[in-house]
Amino acid sequence: MDAPKKKPNKINFDLAQEPTTDYEKGTDFSIDNEEEMHPILVQLLEKALKESEQGLGRSHEEVWAEMKAKYNFK
């Protein structure tokens, strides 16, 4: 009499198996930390914020309407 054959363990490759880790920003984290940003980037961001406060630029809705028309989004 033959022994029953065992089925191989099926591995579900579609299942993401990442370790769960809580990511918290430390006390030394700051968006205004200019040490890590290039000086030109800081200047461009300041310019963009000033223009935004003055009402210059385009709204999100305007940009999306143009993108939908240009690329035929539905």
Side-chain angles (χ1 to χ4, degrees):
M1 187 167 170
D2 295 330
K5 294 181 180 179
K6 292 184 179 181
K7 294 181 181 178
N9 292 337
K10 182 179 178 183
I11 299 173
N12 188 355
F13 289 105
D14 295 332
L15 180 64
Q17 296 183 1
E18 297 180 12
T20 56
T21 307
D22 293 330
Y23 294 100
E24 296 181 17
K25 58 183 179 181
T27 56
D28 60 340
F29 177 79
S30 173
I31 294 176
D32 297 327
N33 188 357
E34 295 180 7
E35 294 176 9
E36 297 178 15
M37 290 192 282
H38 194 277
I40 295 175
L41 176 61
V42 173
Q43 292 174 357
L44 290 172
L45 289 172
E46 289 172 355
K47 179 183 175 187
L49 289 173
K50 287 178 187 174
E51 290 176 354
S52 176
E53 290 171 358
Q54 295 172 356
L56 302 175
R58 299 172 22 199
S59 70
H60 179 79
E61 290 78 18
E62 290 175 24
V63 173
W64 265 108
E66 180 182 326
M67 297 300 288
K68 286 180 180 179
K70 185 175 182 178
Y71 296 107
N72 198 18
F73 289 152
K74 303 239 176 193

